[in-house]
Amino acid sequence: DMAGAEPLLMRALAKDRGIAAAWRSYAQLKAAQGNAPTAVASYQQALKLDRKSAEAWNGLAGALGRMGRSEDQIKAYDN
């Protein structure tokens, strides 16, 4: 339930902005809602916390692609 997930994720991030999994989940939610810019920013935050997250790199690449940023998309896929 996307409508119910967003407030829960926002609460989790308000308590602790250092949880990479929460940022990934928030990014996935925003991507599913069609908000690619917010998804990109959230994936980037997740990657600041966990540079090895293949899930975050893949999600970032997809969101960048939806924004038409193909060069950045390729760089994200290369990570």
Side-chain angles (χ1 to χ4, degrees):
D1 173 24
M2 283 197 274
E6 187 160 5
L8 295 173
L9 288 166
M10 294 303 296
R11 238 178 303 165
L13 290 168
K15 285 185 181 183
D16 186 350
R17 298 185 68 77
I19 303 171
W23 283 108
R24 276 194 316 273
S25 294
Y26 186 67
Q28 290 166 340
L29 174 69
K30 289 306 185 179
Q33 292 174 338
N35 188 338
T38 301
V40 166
S42 300
Y43 280 124
Q44 289 171 332
Q45 185 61 37
L47 287 164
K48 285 180 186 176
L49 299 167
D50 180 7
R51 298 291 298 168
K52 295 181 181 180
S53 173
E55 186 179 358
W57 282 113
N58 189 48
L60 175 62
L64 288 166
R66 284 188 288 286
M67 292 176 64
R69 294 174 53 186
S70 57
E71 288 183 30
D72 292 329
Q73 180 184 27
I74 292 167
K75 289 176 188 175
Y77 276 132
D78 284 344
N79 282 296

